[in-house]
Amino acid sequence: MRILIVEDDHMIGEAVSLALKDAAYAVDWVTDGSSASRILEGNEHQAVLLDIGLPKRDGLEVLRLLRQQGSTIPVIIITARDGVEDRIKGLDFGADDYLVQPFDVNELLARLRAVIRRKGGQAAPVLSNGMVSLDPATREARRGDTKYLLSSREFALLHALLLHPGAILA
Ligand code: CA
């Protein structure tokens, strides 16, 4: 699962990027709006965390263009505490959710899982080896009727094992 972060504030970009990598996401990070639009044309990401105040092209414009091009990729906008109008505009332009700075990393991860789950079509398929199945969008493993919510490490391990079954013998 690959996430694009669009954030010109290096402290926030760094913190979010680390948190996502920690949670076993692949992460790309760009710091201006035109780079964001360009990289999103590649269709390689499953979700976007989008700051509004950005150099070159602001976040709302990036979002508007993205939706105009027919993309349904989940977008969470990141706004300042007093950015009520930006939030409303963002939702009107087709954002899936928003986070107000400063935000808690765990809340960010939960909201990310939620928007990806809601747009199941974009999410990676459920992996299974016939005994255990794993839904990368929700991080839920299932064995028979029992569900397990995994830690980041457990998830990363199980994900790798289900993707490369031979690896367990090596
Ligand atoms: Ca900014």
Side-chain angles (χ1 to χ4, degrees):
M1 184 120 340
R2 192 169 199 94
I3 311 295
L4 180 67
I5 302 170
V6 190
E7 173 62 77
D8 62 326
D9 182 308
H10 278 259
M11 293 255 288
I12 298 174
E14 188 97 27
V16 171
S17 168
L18 277 177
L20 293 186
K21 282 179 188 163
D22 240 28
Y25 291 101
V27 176
D28 292 307
W29 171 20
V30 294
T31 55
D32 72 80
S34 24
S35 303
S37 294
R38 204 172 329 118
I39 200 168
L40 283 167
E41 280 174 14
N43 245 331
E44 286 166 22
H45 298 87
Q46 278 71 48
V48 189
L49 298 171
L50 183 63
D51 182 25
I52 301 260
L54 291 167
K56 293 188 187 168
R57 175 178 291 168
D58 80 24
L60 289 173
E61 187 60 13
V62 172
L63 176 61
R64 200 183 60 78
L65 286 169
L66 192 63
R67 294 304 187 225
Q68 203 174 52
Q69 288 156 3
S71 169
T72 57
I73 186 171
V75 175
I76 299 179
I77 53 177
I78 299 171
T79 70
R81 183 172 292 283
D82 55 359
V84 183
E85 235 170 73
D86 282 347
R87 254 174 274 163
I88 295 170
K89 261 196 205 150
L91 293 170
D92 279 347
F93 282 1
D96 298 274
D97 202 352
Y98 64 84
L99 275 167
V100 178
Q101 289 174 45
F103 49 80
D104 181 88
V105 162
N106 289 316
E107 185 182 4
L108 163 68
L109 293 173
R111 286 178 183 241
L112 191 57
R113 288 195 296 272
V115 294
I116 292 172
R117 189 165 47 221
R118 280 207 297 271
K119 294 212 175 151
Q122 296 258 349
V126 173
L127 300 169
S128 174
N129 65 1
M131 279 165 59
V132 183
S133 67
L134 177 69
D135 183 345
T138 59
R139 305 175 154 263
E140 237 170 42
R142 217 179 238 278
R143 194 172 167 211
D145 289 332
T146 317
K147 282 187 192 173
Y148 305 87
L149 195 58
L150 305 178
S151 74
S152 305
R153 290 180 131 231
E154 291 164 339
F155 171 79
L157 188 61
L158 186 58
H159 191 249
L161 289 175
L162 290 175
L163 271 184
H164 311 285
I168 198 167
L169 302 170

